[in-house]
Amino acid sequence: MFAADPRAWCMGREVRPSDRRKWVKVFEACDEDKKGYLSREDFKVAVVMLFGYKPTKIEADSVMTSVNSNTSGICLEEFIKLMEKKKAAQLYQNEIRQIFTAFDRQYRGFLTLEDFKKAFKQVAPKLPERIVLEAFRRKARIQTTSPTVQSPASHLIKY
């Protein structure tokens, strides 16, 4: 699905002309009847072609209800805007994953407090330890409502 708000992260990043051309080509390929819009099924095929997965019913419903109600589907400009958001969300998630992987030196899929401290000593050596501890506690506390937390003791952060 789309990230909550990757726009803040992507400020200043322009859509590459090559991405735009690819999105137009995919739109045209999926609009087989040349009706000028993508139906729900056309949209699903386009997402598979561009991102390699079939959108869930919830994602398709969300997209279809957000488009201009004067048409029977998603017009080209709406499709391009949707793909811009989707690409930004994908880049944002990939960057988070890369940062997490860099911190997870033992490839366990989670960070202990010690891992977290070591990582911050490398990237921000002058940052006071109390701030690092608070950041770790906040992230662990947020994750206690998530199924990815391995311990209710809040001593692990898992990607």
Side-chain angles (χ1 to χ4, degrees), residues 76-92:
L76 177 60
E77 285 309 310
E78 288 173 328
F79 179 74
I80 289 173
K81 287 178 187 173
L82 288 166
M83 295 306 103
E84 286 175 359
K85 289 179 187 177
K86 196 156 195 54
K87 174 88 181 216
Q90 184 181 49
L91 291 172
Y92 178 74

Side-chain angles (χ1 to χ4, degrees), residues 61-149:
D61 288 346
S62 173
V63 168
M64 296 310 286
T65 58
S66 71
V67 298
N68 184 347
S69 59
N70 295 334
T71 63
S72 299
I74 305 166
C75 71
L76 177 60
E77 285 309 310
E78 288 173 328
F79 179 74
I80 289 173
K81 287 178 187 173
L82 288 166
M83 295 306 103
E84 286 175 359
K85 289 179 187 177
K86 196 156 195 54
K87 174 88 181 216
Q90 184 181 49
L91 291 172
Y92 178 74
Q93 288 297 320
N94 287 345
E95 187 163 306
I96 289 173
R97 182 174 283 117
Q98 287 176 342
I99 291 168
F100 182 90
T101 301
F103 287 1
D104 183 17
R105 295 176 157 235
Q106 296 178 8
Y107 306 106
R108 297 177 295 199
F110 61 88
L111 300 177
T112 64
L113 176 57
E114 290 308 310
D115 295 332
F116 204 70
K117 285 181 186 178
K118 285 178 188 175
F120 273 90
K121 271 203 185 350
Q122 288 181 338
V123 297
K126 296 185 182 200
L127 192 65
E129 186 173 339
R130 66 180 173 72
I131 293 181
V132 174
L133 287 169
E134 181 60 27
F136 184 85
R137 286 186 186 123
R138 282 186 181 181
K139 180 62 180 163
R141 188 170 43 244
I142 290 167
Q143 285 192 341
T144 57
T145 60
S146 166
T148 60
V149 170

